[in-house]
Amino acid sequence: MIKVFKVKPLITVDPEDRWRRIFPMSFVFCINIVLGNVSLRYIPVSFMQTIKSFTPATTVVLQWLVWRKYFDWRIWASLVPIVGGILLTSVTELSFNMLGFCAALFGCLATSTKTILAESLLHGYKFDSINTVYYMAPFATMILAVPAMLLEGNGVLEWLHTHESLCSSLIIIFSSGVLAFCLNFSIFYVIHSTTAVTFNVAGNLKVAVAVLISWLIFRNPISGLNAVGCAVTLVGCTFYGYVRHLLSQQPPGTPTPRTPRTPRTPLNRMELLPLVNDKLDDKV
């Protein structure tokens, strides 16, 4: 997309900064994917989504505690119906497993950390979504290659042999990679265009919409509690969008009611240390 189709110009990043900035985000990204897959082996999707519904809350709390970022009280209030709505949507299908529960819970924290790091990288250093994937994918491949060969190598080889032709298997694998690229491209584009919290709120909205669409297509039974949960989640997401709109209309530098002005993160914090090559503008 960068070299051939010239969708975006390549942003040059010093090798030292690749390891200091992009490698940690790639590592957390891999942990998030692995924990999600592990949790799905032991708990159903509904239970996993119930735990994942806490991601917006953990994102706000992490930004508040670690990065000292302050949010308007209405942002905090909008998270209550979002988290509560997803809980109501999934509560009728809960199936507890301690290993799956812990994997999903730590995956939730990893998701929050990943989106915060991505927001810092994109907003702080003028990265765009496709350049982020360009630099992150090689690190992610390097991190996952050895564990994948050791833990799943035999299973992949057996899967390839069970298919009628190698060509169809390779097409499936290649298509999966293309879809994964499109997913990550869209994720970083959303984070670049909005914020990490908005991205996670949209993820919760996706769960409610998925429940509704699955009922429309497959006519799977939905209890009254599920319907109420979807409605509450949609209301929370709508309220969050309304709050974001109100805050964006305020003049720059205007403190929000009952909330301190959002301070800039101190420069001694790792996520906002300056790049070795500070002048990215002339490379875009």
Side-chain angles (χ1 to χ4, degrees), residues 174-228:
F174 180 77
S175 300
S176 175
V178 172
L179 290 175
F181 165 77
C182 295
L183 171 64
N184 288 294
F185 177 81
S186 62
I187 287 175
F188 288 115
Y189 181 80
V190 170
I191 296 174
H192 177 64
S193 302
T194 56
T195 64
V197 179
T198 303
F199 162 71
N200 285 308
V201 170
N204 278 338
L205 176 60
K206 174 206 67 177
V207 178
V209 173
V211 172
L212 177 61
I213 294 179
S214 66
W215 179 79
L216 292 175
I217 297 177
F218 303 107
R219 294 294 175 177
N220 55 300
I222 296 180
S223 66
L225 197 59
N226 289 125
V228 171

Side-chain angles (χ1 to χ4, degrees), residues 20 31 45 85 94 105 130 149 163 206 213 258 272:
R20 295 171 62 206
I31 292 178
V45 175
L94 293 181
L105 185 62
I130 195 168
M149 288 187 292
H163 280 67
K206 174 206 67 177
I213 294 179
R258 302 182 184 179
L272 287 185

Side-chain angles (χ1 to χ4, degrees), residues 9-62:
L10 178 63
I11 297 176
T12 304
V13 178
D14 189 90
E16 181 181 348
D17 287 318
R18 299 180 191 180
W19 287 98
R20 295 171 62 206
R21 300 296 170 202
I22 302 175
F23 179 79
M25 189 179 69
S26 302
F27 184 75
V28 176
F29 171 78
C30 293
I31 292 178
N32 174 44
I33 297 298
V34 171
L35 290 176
N37 289 339
V38 169
S39 65
L40 287 175
R41 291 187 61 183
Y42 300 100
I43 60 176
V45 175
S46 59
F47 189 23
M48 178 186 176
Q49 292 298 333
T50 300
I51 302 172
K52 285 287 186 179
S53 66
F54 289 100
T55 302
T58 55
T59 301
V60 171
V61 171
L62 281 175

Side-chain angles (χ1 to χ4, degrees), residues 24-281:
M25 189 179 69
S26 302
F27 184 75
V28 176
F29 171 78
C30 293
I31 292 178
N32 174 44
I33 297 298
V34 171
L35 290 176
N37 289 339
V38 169
S39 65
L40 287 175
R41 291 187 61 183
Y42 300 100
I43 60 176
V45 175
S46 59
F47 189 23
M48 178 186 176
Q49 292 298 333
T50 300
I51 302 172
K52 285 287 186 179
S53 66
F54 289 100
T55 302
T58 55
T59 301
V60 171
V61 171
L62 281 175
Q63 288 183 313
W64 178 59
L65 290 177
V66 180
W67 282 271
R68 298 298 181 183
K69 182 175 181 179
Y70 291 91
F71 295 91
D72 186 88
W73 67 271
R74 290 165 291 184
I75 293 290
W76 294 93
S78 67
L79 295 176
V80 176
I82 294 172
V83 175
I86 295 296
L87 288 173
L88 287 175
T89 304
S90 305
V91 70
T92 56
E93 302 178 60
L94 293 181
S95 178
F96 187 83
N97 178 277
M98 180 58 71
L99 181 58
F101 172 79
C102 292
L105 185 62
F106 284 107
C108 177
L109 295 174
T111 301
S112 298
T113 304
K114 180 203 69 174
T115 50
I116 292 172
L117 290 176
E119 180 184 350
S120 173
L121 179 66
L122 294 174
H123 286 182
Y125 302 123
K126 304 186 188 306
F127 261 57
D128 54 68
S129 55
I130 195 168
N131 271 277
T132 304
V133 177
Y134 177 88
Y135 285 107
M136 189 188 71
F139 283 126
T141 303
M142 179 184 66
I143 294 169
L144 293 176
V146 175
M149 288 187 292
L150 294 177
L151 300 176
E152 301 178 350
N154 293 332
V156 172
L157 293 176
E158 181 180 352
W159 181 76
L160 290 174
H161 284 103
T162 56
H163 280 67
E164 297 180 358
S165 66
L166 181 62
C167 181
S168 62
S169 301
L170 293 178
I171 290 176
I172 293 175
I173 296 175
F174 180 77
S175 300
S176 175
V178 172
L179 290 175
F181 165 77
C182 295
L183 171 64
N184 288 294
F185 177 81
S186 62
I187 287 175
F188 288 115
Y189 181 80
V190 170
I191 296 174
H192 177 64
S193 302
T194 56
T195 64
V197 179
T198 303
F199 162 71
N200 285 308
V201 170
N204 278 338
L205 176 60
K206 174 206 67 177
V207 178
V209 173
V211 172
L212 177 61
I213 294 179
S214 66
W215 179 79
L216 292 175
I217 297 177
F218 303 107
R219 294 294 175 177
N220 55 300
I222 296 180
S223 66
L225 197 59
N226 289 125
V228 171
C230 290
V232 172
T233 303
L234 291 173
V235 169
C237 291
T238 303
F239 179 59
Y240 174 82
Y242 176 70
V243 171
R244 292 286 306 178
H245 175 71
L246 288 181
L247 296 179
S248 66
Q249 297 301 312
Q250 293 182 352
T254 302
T256 55
R258 302 182 184 179
T259 306
R261 271 180 23 183
T262 302
R264 296 186 63 84
T265 307
L267 293 178
N268 60 349
R269 294 201 177 270
M270 177 183 176
E271 78 280 1
L272 287 185
L273 282 173
L275 287 170
V276 171
N277 201 341
D278 285 324
K279 295 183 179 180
L280 285 180
D281 289 332

